[in-house]
Amino acid sequence: MTDHLLKFDNVSMIFKIGGGLGLFGGKRVVALNDVSFTIPDKPGIVALVGESGSGKSTIARLALGLLRPTVGQVLYRGREISEWLKSDKYRFRREVQAVFQDPYGIYNPYYKVDRVLYLALRKLMRINDREYAQSLIVNAMKTLGMRPEEVLGRYPHQLSGGERQRLMLVLSLLIKPRLLIADEPVSMIDASLRAIFLENLLELKKTLGISCLYITHDLITANYVADEIIVLCHGKIVEIGDATNVIRDPLHPYTKLLVDSMLLPDPRAGKAIEAASIDVRSLSELKPEKGCVFRYRCPYAMKVCVEGVPDLIEVGDGRKVACYLYGEQASSV
Ligand SMILES: Nc1ncnc2c1ncn2[C@@H]1O[C@H](COP(=O)(O)OP(=O)(O)OP(=O)(O)O)[C@@H](O)[C@H]1O
Ligand SMILES: [Mg+2]
């Protein structure tokens, strides 16, 4: 028995792009650099936040076994995911489910939605009775506030992106997975349905005891659903901690920047205002070759931040931060 569901153990992911022979032939993209975290074996939602290009989807793809790490290990219940896919693929697929807008072709374009859901029930839950399957599908849709008569009988491309995302939760209700890997699950949903989706997610956690890696660049929804937050910056984890604490008192300068750029309620106007906006496209070019990943943008950058890479250290209350401003590292600065 292990105490974790998912564990990233010193994982680095390097993509090689372009032609050329050997490691130095093409261009290398370090999408993840020495990433370690765990999702414990208890119901809970862990949000993974970071701006575009920080490596979030790479983590999702590794967690689902769609990629293998260049360095390090990705474990589910103590076993490497590649092992699960070799020897126990169906159990892994039943227990670890993707909630994406279009989760890697789970929606076969030639199958109607009913058939997609029925096949999942047959393959993963061994339910062969079509009528029984249909009643489960209809019930699950109703539970999640969808209208079966409007959705069933259609092809995936006849549904909106938001409807497809909500269908993924219907699938969760049917399959009862242990872990959801949700990569930007509400990106296509408008504000009113977004709240319903997030409520549904919280409900699944409560009633089915599901855990979820909730990936987003939006701290507002992370704050709404997450128990814990992991902050990713240019392929490195810079902060981990209890969600409320991280948002209320961000420690890493990058987390502070993210929290500052959340939509803050304006008490005078009673409206939401945008505190600061970041042009992520130009900033993602600013990835240093060495030193702290955030040093070009950090208002506190010191000499040591250019020379070394700060370790992710525990600073009390389960909070971890990778910054020379904290812990023993601070005294040596
Ligand atoms: N198959 C690939 N080949 C080459 N580079 C890749 C590949 N997949 C991802 N990358 C690169 O790895 C980095 C991380 O990409 P990733 O998709 O994980 O970011 P992300 O945080 O999900 O961004 P977004 O918020 O825009 O979805 C980026 O620089 C990206 O260009
Ligand atoms: Mg992504």
Side-chain angles (χ1 to χ4, degrees):
M1 277 296 283
T2 47
D3 56 356
H4 68 266
L5 278 182
L6 185 70
K7 181 171 186 168
F8 274 59
D9 207 0
N10 300 104
V11 170
S12 293
M13 187 73 221
I14 300 168
F15 293 108
K16 194 168 159 265
I17 44 176
L21 292 170
L23 205 54
F24 302 102
K27 195 173 167 245
R28 287 158 19 117
V29 179
V30 182
L32 295 175
N33 186 350
D34 201 17
V35 163
S36 296
F37 67 91
T38 55
I39 294 192
D41 190 2
K42 58 176 195 209
I45 299 178
V46 177
L48 178 64
V49 301
E51 62 205 12
S52 186
S54 54
K56 303 181 300 293
S57 296
T58 304
I59 287 185
R61 287 155 72 202
L62 285 162
L64 291 164
L66 299 165
L67 281 176
R68 284 181 80 159
T70 317
V71 181
Q73 287 186 314
V74 183
L75 307 162
Y76 177 71
R77 295 194 190 279
R79 270 169 78 197
E80 264 197 270
I81 290 179
S82 52
E83 283 298 311
W84 277 97
L85 293 176
K86 252 186 252 155
S87 57
D88 239 340
K89 184 170 150 196
Y90 283 118
R91 179 171 166 208
F92 181 77
R93 288 275 177 250
R94 192 178 68 231
E95 290 196 15
V96 183
Q97 196 195 312
V99 184
F100 299 167
Q101 193 204 342
D102 183 14
Y104 305 109
I106 191 162
Y107 294 122
N108 184 326
Y110 302 109
Y111 290 174
K112 287 183 182 161
V113 167
D114 327 31
R115 189 165 159 80
V116 173
L117 296 174
Y118 172 62
L119 285 180
L121 279 174
R122 206 176 71 189
K123 267 199 191 148
L124 300 176
M125 305 301 281
R126 310 238 177 274
I127 293 174
N128 292 310
D129 182 333
R130 191 96 208 214
E131 252 175 56
Y132 177 55
Q134 184 77 5
S135 69
L136 291 178
I137 291 168
V138 166
N139 277 341
M141 286 187 163
K142 285 186 178 160
T143 308
L144 293 178
M146 287 187 99
R147 294 207 189 118
E149 63 280 10
E150 283 180 13
V151 177
L152 296 176
R154 292 213 220 163
Y155 289 97
H157 70 268
Q158 295 173 322
L159 298 174
S160 71
E163 282 168 334
R164 284 202 293 270
Q165 287 182 324
R166 296 180 71 207
L167 262 188
M168 298 307 301
L169 283 191
V170 170
L171 195 58
S172 307
L173 210 54
L174 293 170
I175 309 295
K176 303 185 179 29
R178 189 58 200 87
L179 176 64
L180 294 180
I181 307 290
D183 191 356
E184 304 278 3
V186 291
S187 58
M188 303 291 289
I189 303 183
D190 55 47
S192 57
L193 282 179
R194 188 172 298 172
I196 297 177
F197 184 102
L198 296 173
E199 283 300 330
N200 287 162
L201 188 59
L202 288 168
E203 198 58 28
L204 288 180
K205 174 179 99 167
K206 213 163 80 186
T207 52
L208 299 182
I210 281 176
S211 296
C212 177
L213 181 65
Y214 175 79
I215 297 176
T216 182
H217 60 267
D218 168 25
L219 264 185
I220 298 173
T221 58
N223 185 34
Y224 189 69
V225 290
D227 301 295
E228 197 184 6
I229 290 184
I230 299 176
V231 184
L232 196 64
C233 177
H234 291 315
K236 270 231 166 263
I237 292 180
V238 294
E239 185 158 357
I240 300 184
D242 171 83
T244 317
N245 293 344
V246 169
I247 305 263
R248 198 171 39 204
D249 177 28
L251 296 182
H252 196 282
Y254 177 63
T255 319
K256 286 186 207 271
L257 177 83
L258 290 181
V259 171
D260 281 348
S261 62
M262 279 170 83
L263 286 170
L264 298 174
D266 179 354
R268 283 157 305 161
K271 280 189 196 152
I273 52 160
E274 190 141 16
S277 59
I278 324 166
D279 181 354
V280 286
R281 269 163 316 171
S282 57
L283 291 174
S284 60
E285 314 264 290
L286 295 177
K287 185 172 167 179
E289 289 284 302
K290 63 177 185 125
C292 171
V293 283
F294 190 55
R295 69 181 167 88
Y296 286 146
R297 290 193 263 162
C298 184
Y300 312 99
M302 302 168 281
K303 194 159 167 268
V304 65
C305 311
V306 181
E307 290 155 1
V309 178
D311 292 328
L312 189 64
I313 53 157
E314 177 103 40
V315 289
D317 258 359
R319 183 91 70 102
K320 289 182 183 169
V321 61
C323 176
Y324 286 118
L325 292 171
Y326 302 95
E328 273 181 26
Q329 307 178 100
S331 53
S332 60
V333 174

